[in-house]
Amino acid sequence: MWEKTETETKFNKSKRIASNTAVLFIRMLIITIISLYTVRVVLNGLGAEDYGIFNTVAGVVTTSSFLSSVLAISVQRFYSFSMGKNNDKDLNEIFSSSINIIILLSLGIIIVFETFGLWFVKTQLTIPYGRMEATLWIYQFSLFSFIFTILEIPFTAAIFAHEDMSIYAVISTVDCFLRLTVAFLIGKFMADNLIIYGSGLLIVSFIIFQFYAIYGLIKYEECHYKKTHNTLLYKKLLSFSGWTLFGSAASTGMQQGNIILLNIFFGPIINAAFGIALQINNAFNALSNSIILPLRPAMIKAYAEKNNDYLNQLFSVGNKFILYFLLAIGIPIFSEIVTILTWWLGNINSDIIIFSRLIIIYIIFLGIHSPITTIMQATGHVKEYHLPVESITLMCIPLTWLFFSLGFPAYSVFISMITVCILAHIIRLLCLRHFYKEFSILGYIVTLILPSLFILLIVSAFTVFLHSVIVSPLTRTISICILSPLLLFFLVYFIGINKEERSITIDFIRSYFNQKKCRK
């Protein structure tokens, strides 16, 4: 009887994860389509030069965006761990402590960016003549938009920890629609388009913050501020955040630091090409997040419960889902990038094409680190994990600077990014093996890396064949975008996943259609 109850509980957990994954996947598809179309509208409305200025200046502010992701992960980790230990009474202290930390952090960010940040924008960036005033306005708008994203963290962390992904999907989709609305407003007022766009994004950030805050206050009992003097909790939160901060700072610095280097060596036009590549990166990240977000709280709770079998299953499923979905979308886009970019943007150049292709390779290598990072965060050994991993990642900036100083082309920025990403992943695996004894590097290679390489080889060869025999760009792109993923998922079902995972997949599909029949 106990075994049956445990099996049913495990299946219900898995069913909830599958449901949340489906919700976030649908959200991802909607947001990706809207976001990519928004880029086209913004690029046409602002022009390549102003779009490059926007990405450069926003890039200066978002060099600190790792702070928001770090705090969100940290607060969510403590929420989920407390739930896994059935310590619900600690949730309000976690919420209140995170509010205090975030308010102090926001004040510190404003001071730094209104002093050093302003100096950097005025004296170090390459800004076209006559555009400095608009640049400073967009800088202020970007700064305070970022502050609102930080203030919403305690509420979004509560949503993730409670695994209420549907409300997150709704609010983030509304956010995307509002940003598209702002893009359509470009050119509709007798004012500088760059200033109109920046002010609109600030208003959107404020509205979305209000949505999350109101939902949290109404839905969750712990989301009500109370004075707290739990010094030990502050210490734990700050210690965990500090080393996670180092990790995110390195990743963000790699991206945003490269934006600044590209601006210094090549100017704002190249920044526009890099900004478009980053939009592709954001779309792929949305796919990865739609898979890992529902898994993360479940993995942390499983670790807290010492349920290693379930944790290992989640880890395996997470790795495979992320990798194979990235390949399913990445291979067709890589092959048909010229046609897709032409449909998307209209006018393109060689820099946009090569940047877009190289960032797809980078994204696939980067995407599979998320399940590893989640387990390491659950163990609490964040210092021992992030210090070696991100020390490798930080080598990207001096490597990029060296390439540019030696006269290498702009796309060499991706060579340095891909190189350090591969090296960092090797270190991640070694850290996981050391601190989580249930993990096997050999098993990881045999069950994930080797099958995925075999599947990648076959699907790539099939895609190249279709590309060579179909002449019409429209017919070729549609055919490859449909047939290549179908072949990949066929191979994944028989080669990429094991017997138990196939059984779970069939159970989920049967459960889904049974629910449909019951509703009818």
Side-chain angles (χ1 to χ4, degrees):
M1 184 70 177
W2 180 84
E3 290 182 357
K4 183 179 179 182
T5 303
E6 184 186 38
T7 301
E8 289 175 350
T9 301
K10 184 176 177 181
F11 179 75
N12 288 334
K13 287 181 179 179
S14 300
K15 190 175 178 182
R16 183 174 187 179
I17 292 171
S19 175
N20 284 334
T21 302
V23 168
L24 291 179
F25 189 76
I26 293 170
R27 162 198 171 272
M28 181 274 301
L29 291 176
I30 295 172
I31 286 180
T32 299
I33 293 170
I34 297 172
S35 297
L36 293 178
Y37 182 64
T38 300
V39 172
R40 175 171 182 152
V41 175
V42 173
L43 184 59
N44 290 337
L46 295 180
E49 186 174 84
D50 274 4
Y51 185 73
I53 292 172
F54 173 77
N55 276 285
T56 302
V57 175
V60 172
V61 174
T62 52
T63 52
S64 57
S65 63
F66 57 84
L67 294 171
S68 58
S69 62
V70 163
L71 288 168
I73 290 170
S74 300
V75 176
Q76 182 191 323
R77 185 265 181 189
F78 280 88
Y79 271 137
S80 299
F81 201 88
S82 293
M83 290 177 180
K85 291 286 189 180
N86 294 318
N87 281 339
D88 291 349
K89 63 181 182 180
D90 293 341
L91 296 180
N92 181 256
E93 280 197 331
I94 294 171
F95 173 81
S96 300
S97 299
S98 65
I99 287 285
N100 292 337
I101 292 171
I102 284 168
I103 289 174
L104 290 175
L105 177 64
S106 299
L107 292 173
I109 289 172
I110 291 172
I111 292 171
V112 170
F113 278 94
E114 293 293 6
T115 53
F116 175 77
L118 272 177
W119 168 84
F120 185 84
V121 170
K122 290 179 179 179
T123 63
Q124 302 300 307
L125 293 184
T126 303
I127 304 297
Y129 178 77
R131 300 302 292 151
M132 181 55 74
E133 182 181 356
T135 297
L136 294 178
W137 274 107
I138 202 72
Y139 177 79
Q140 296 294 334
F141 292 141
S142 300
L143 173 59
F144 286 96
S145 295
F146 176 60
I147 294 299
F148 284 123
T149 64
I150 293 179
L151 293 175
E152 71 190 29
I153 286 171
F155 304 100
T156 56
I159 290 172
F160 293 148
H162 285 278
E163 301 182 55
D164 291 335
M165 300 304 175
S166 57
I167 189 62
Y168 169 71
V170 170
I171 295 177
S172 56
T173 303
V174 170
D175 181 20
C176 200
F177 273 110
L178 290 176
R179 290 175 185 273
L180 176 60
T181 302
V182 172
F184 278 123
L185 293 177
I186 297 174
K188 300 296 190 295
F189 298 91
M190 297 296 293
D192 190 292
N193 288 332
L194 199 56
I195 295 175
I196 290 296
Y197 184 57
S199 60
L201 293 182
L202 174 60
I203 294 170
V204 170
S205 297
F206 176 73
I207 292 171
I208 297 302
F209 162 67
Q210 292 292 318
F211 283 163
Y212 281 121
I214 292 170
Y215 183 83
L217 290 169
I218 294 174
K219 179 72 174 180
Y220 307 122
E221 197 174 316
E222 66 267 19
C223 288
H224 292 83
Y225 180 80
K226 294 179 182 178
K227 287 186 178 181
T228 177
H229 303 286
N230 190 333
T231 306
L232 181 60
L233 179 58
Y234 279 115
K235 185 177 179 180
K236 287 181 178 180
L237 273 169
L238 291 173
S239 177
F240 186 93
S241 299
W243 287 106
T244 308
L245 176 67
F246 177 63
S248 293
S251 299
T252 303
M254 180 173 67
Q255 186 178 97
Q256 303 301 334
N258 283 328
I259 289 177
I260 294 170
L261 286 175
L262 284 168
N263 177 265
I264 292 171
F265 280 90
F266 299 98
I269 300 298
I270 288 294
N271 275 127
F274 193 75
I276 290 167
L278 290 182
Q279 293 299 323
I280 297 174
N281 176 67
N282 293 339
F284 276 81
N285 279 339
L287 171 62
S288 297
N289 288 334
S290 69
I291 297 171
I292 196 61
L293 277 177
L295 288 173
R296 184 179 289 138
M299 290 174 72
I300 295 172
K301 290 173 186 176
Y303 182 85
E305 295 166 354
K306 301 187 185 304
N307 191 348
N308 290 335
D309 289 340
Y310 186 51
L311 176 58
N312 292 337
Q313 185 183 69
L314 292 175
F315 178 74
S316 176
V317 169
N319 278 313
K320 291 175 181 179
F321 271 38
I322 290 173
L323 179 57
Y324 291 129
F325 271 105
L326 287 176
L327 289 176
I329 297 176
I331 293 172
I333 293 178
F334 188 94
S335 170
E336 300 305 301
I337 194 67
V338 175
T339 304
I340 292 171
L341 285 173
T342 302
W343 290 343
W344 175 26
L345 301 173
N347 296 322
I348 60 173
N349 55 45
S350 58
D351 289 320
I352 295 176
I353 294 169
I354 194 168
F355 278 24
S356 300
R357 278 190 167 135
L358 288 174
I359 206 164
I360 291 172
I361 298 173
Y362 166 72
I363 292 162
I364 292 172
F365 281 117
L366 183 66
I368 55 176
H369 87 270
S370 294
I372 299 173
T373 302
T374 299
I375 293 183
M376 288 303 303
Q377 288 169 345
T379 66
H381 292 288
V382 288
K383 174 184 176 181
E384 295 84 351
Y385 175 65
H386 285 298
L387 185 59
V389 169
E390 309 310 342
S391 295
I392 297 293
T393 303
L394 285 171
M395 295 303 296
C396 179
I397 299 302
L399 186 58
T400 300
W401 177 85
L402 179 62
F403 283 155
F404 291 169
S405 298
L406 293 175
F408 281 67
Y411 67 78
S412 60
V413 64
F414 292 101
I415 306 302
S416 64
M417 289 170 66
I418 292 169
T419 301
V420 299
C421 186
I422 294 172
L423 293 175
H425 193 74
I426 295 171
I427 302 300
R428 294 180 200 276
L429 294 175
L430 294 173
C431 288
L432 183 61
R433 179 68 187 92
H434 181 73
F435 292 105
Y436 182 62
K437 301 302 182 183
E438 298 291 324
F439 172 70
S440 167
I441 294 179
L442 179 61
Y444 182 85
I445 293 172
V446 171
T447 60
L448 181 68
I449 302 301
L450 293 181
S452 65
L453 288 175
F454 179 73
I455 291 170
L456 172 63
L457 180 64
I458 292 181
V459 176
S460 296
F462 176 71
T463 304
V464 170
F465 170 75
L466 291 179
H467 187 87
S468 63
V469 298
I470 303 176
V471 178
S472 168
L474 176 61
T475 305
R476 182 180 65 234
T477 301
I478 294 175
S479 299
I480 288 176
C481 287
I482 294 174
L483 297 178
S484 291
L486 285 177
L487 174 62
L488 185 140
F489 288 128
F490 176 82
L491 294 172
V492 166
Y493 184 81
F494 290 101
I495 300 173
I497 59 178
N498 59 37
K499 184 178 179 180
E500 183 181 5
E501 290 162 348
R502 281 196 291 272
S503 176
I504 291 171
T505 302
I506 292 171
D507 287 341
F508 282 147
I509 294 172
R510 285 175 178 170
S511 174
Y512 175 80
F513 283 107
N514 286 338
Q515 287 178 355
K516 288 284 188 181
K517 288 179 182 178
C518 290
R519 287 171 186 169
K520 290 180 180 179

